[in-house]
Amino acid sequence: MQTDPVLVFRALGHRARLAIAEELAHGERCVADLVDLVGLSWPTVSRHLTVLRTAGIVRDAKRGNQVIYSLALPCVATFARCL
């Protein structure tokens, strides 16, 4: 599946979503970890993750009661470091 660059840049245009993507560059995280990282409410982080997933930046996997997120578009990590 081809990633739409416009969707990627729009998704990364929000500070919280960029922070989430940068954190996922270091490895998988559950939603609770990401909530602590960005300091936003659970529903807000979930909405940000939906935007990132729709853009093809992250993927999710259910493990027991947790949803684990990982970076699906690895070039985002180098792109963010470059800025």
Side-chain angles (χ1 to χ4, degrees), residues 8 11-60 67-74 76-78 80-81:
V8 171
L12 294 174
H14 192 283
R15 186 178 308 266
R17 291 192 292 262
L18 183 58
I20 290 169
E22 287 175 331
E23 183 62 25
L24 292 175
H26 300 294
E28 298 177 333
R29 300 286 183 264
C30 68
V31 178
D33 292 340
L34 296 170
V35 165
D36 290 341
L37 168 78
V38 296
L40 298 172
S41 69
W42 195 288
T44 301
V45 171
S46 290
R47 282 193 299 271
H48 285 310
L49 287 165
T50 298
V51 171
L52 291 169
R53 191 175 56 245
T54 300
I57 298 169
V58 301
R59 69 174 69 91
D60 61 348
V67 177
I68 304 296
Y69 287 87
S70 60
L71 202 55
L73 194 62
V76 169
T78 24
R81 274 195 309 267

